[in-house]
Amino acid sequence: MITDLIINIFVGVVYLILQAVSLPVVNNIVVPDDAFDALKKILTNVGYILPVETFIYILSFKVAICSFVVAWAMILRIKSFIPSMGR
């Protein structure tokens, strides 16, 4: 009961701040059909100069290493909670 009141006070302050700085509502947002043609032309021309395929391999390798590090850290953390397996 008391903690619920304290949490509601903090949440109420946050709601007041968000209402004061909220953005106006825009109902009709229309993206033109050729909005990304310029970006497509730029990226097509950059593809002739830079080895994009090699960059994709490097990026996927980096993502794989980062994912492995995160998974390994989670395994070690979970393992540390088991009494017979912790360090």
Side-chain angles (χ1 to χ4, degrees):
M1 290 179 113
I2 296 173
T3 56
D4 189 37
L5 179 67
I6 294 171
I7 291 173
N8 285 336
I9 290 172
F10 286 123
V11 170
V13 171
V14 171
Y15 281 147
L16 287 175
I17 292 172
L18 289 177
Q19 286 177 356
V21 296
S22 64
L23 295 173
V25 176
V26 179
N27 292 333
N28 297 334
I29 297 178
V30 178
V31 178
D33 294 334
D34 60 346
F36 296 106
D37 284 344
L39 181 63
K40 182 179 176 184
K41 289 177 185 176
I42 291 170
L43 292 178
T44 304
N45 291 329
V46 168
Y48 286 114
I49 299 169
L50 296 175
V52 177
E53 187 175 346
T54 306
F55 287 159
I56 291 174
Y57 290 136
I58 292 170
L59 179 66
S60 62
F61 187 69
K62 186 174 181 178
V63 167
I65 289 176
C66 288
S67 299
F68 174 76
V69 168
V70 169
W72 186 250
M74 288 177 60
I75 289 170
L76 289 178
R77 179 61 62 186
I78 291 170
K79 190 183 88 160
S80 70
F81 286 116
I82 299 173
S84 61
M85 296 182 72
R87 292 190 214 192

